[in-house]
Amino acid sequence: RLRRRAGRYTLLALLSAGVLQVDYLIMSQTLTSSEIVHYALVSRVFGVILTLHGGLLGAFRPEMTEALSRRAWGDADRIARRTLTGSLMILLLGTASFALAADVVTRVLAPGMGLAVSRLAILLFAATLAFRIWSDVHVVGLLALDRTRMLWRVIPAQAVVSVIAQYVLARLWGVHGVISGLALSFAIFAGVWPAELRRAQRELTS
C-alpha cells in the first residue's frame, strides 16, 4: 500500500513538472534569444522565492497532516492560513525588492548583456507564484487525506491549458505572453483545490 501511494505521488509530481517545465520548449519556438534570457533571469530570481515557500510549506506540512488525520478541521485551517500568509509575505517582499533593485540584479546575474528587466514581467511572475502558493497549500491537504483522484483529473487538464495558453499568448505578447499563459493555467483551477478539500472533509465528517 505504501509503495502504491509513493508511486502515485511520484507520477503526480511528474505531471506537475510538466505544467511548469514546458515553458522553455514553447519559448524555443516562439521567442527570440534575448527574450528567453529575459525570462530566465526573472524566473531565476523568483525561483529563490519559490524555494523559500517550499521550505515554509515543508515546515508546516507535518502539523497540517497530523491535524487532518485527527479530523481537526479548524486546526488544519489555521495552519493553512499561517502557511499562506507566510508564503505570500515572502512573495510580496521578494517582488518589491526585485522591482526596486532590478537594475542591480540584472548587472549581477547578466553582466554585460545590457538587459532591461520589465516590471510587467516581474508583476506577472508574482501573480503566477501567488496562484501557485494558493494551490500548493490546498494540494498538501488533499495529499494528507489521500485524495488524489481530483489531482489525476486536474493536473493533466492544467498542463494542456498551460501549453495552449503559453503558445498562443507568446505569439501575441512575447515573453509577457508566456508568463501570462502560465499564470492563467494556475488561475483557472485555483478554485478547484479548496472546493475539493472541503468536500473531502464533509465526506469524512458524515
Side-chain angles (χ1 to χ4, degrees):
R1 178 182 173 85
L2 183 60
R3 185 175 298 177
R4 287 198 303 270
R5 182 179 297 183
R8 290 200 301 268
Y9 289 175
T10 299
L11 288 172
L12 284 170
L14 291 174
L15 286 171
S16 299
V19 175
L20 297 171
Q21 301 302 323
V22 73
D23 47 6
Y24 282 96
L25 178 61
I26 292 171
M27 285 189 293
S28 69
Q29 304 299 315
T30 57
L31 303 186
T32 64
S33 58
S34 62
E35 287 178 313
I36 294 174
V37 171
H38 185 184
Y39 178 94
L41 191 150
V42 178
S43 176
R44 184 174 177 183
V45 174
F46 277 98
V48 175
I49 297 174
L50 191 59
T51 299
L52 295 174
H53 156 64
L56 185 64
L57 188 64
F60 279 109
R61 181 172 182 169
E63 287 185 56
M64 188 183 300
T65 300
E66 191 273 336
L68 289 170
S69 67
R70 292 188 290 108
R71 300 185 183 181
W73 310 134
D75 291 346
D77 287 345
R78 282 190 290 273
I79 295 166
R81 284 195 296 270
R82 288 205 305 270
T83 308
L84 276 171
T85 300
S87 290
L88 290 175
M89 285 299 298
I90 291 171
L91 175 61
L92 179 61
L93 292 173
T95 301
S97 300
F98 186 20
L100 291 172
D103 294 338
V104 176
V105 173
T106 302
R107 286 197 297 271
V108 171
L109 297 181
M113 296 194 65
L115 186 67
V117 173
S118 164
R119 298 303 192 276
L120 178 58
I122 294 174
L123 291 176
L124 288 171
F125 239 111
T128 302
L129 257 66
F131 286 119
R132 167 75 185 276
I133 288 167
W134 171 267
S135 300
D136 284 352
V137 172
H138 290 92
V139 167
V140 163
L142 288 173
L143 291 174
L145 294 173
D146 199 25
R147 295 301 181 104
T148 59
R149 185 176 300 176
M150 181 60 71
L151 300 178
W152 281 108
R153 295 172 182 171
V154 173
I155 291 177
Q158 185 178 356
V160 171
V161 170
S162 179
V163 169
I164 295 172
Q166 286 186 62
Y167 185 82
V168 171
L169 295 179
R171 290 287 186 184
L172 295 174
W173 300 324
V175 67
H176 298 123
V178 173
I179 307 171
S180 297
L182 187 57
L184 184 63
S185 71
F186 278 103
I188 286 175
F189 297 99
V192 171
W193 310 120
E196 179 65 14
L197 188 56
R198 294 300 181 195
R199 187 171 75 87
Q201 291 174 353
R202 286 196 301 270
E203 290 178 357
L204 290 171
T205 303
S206 60

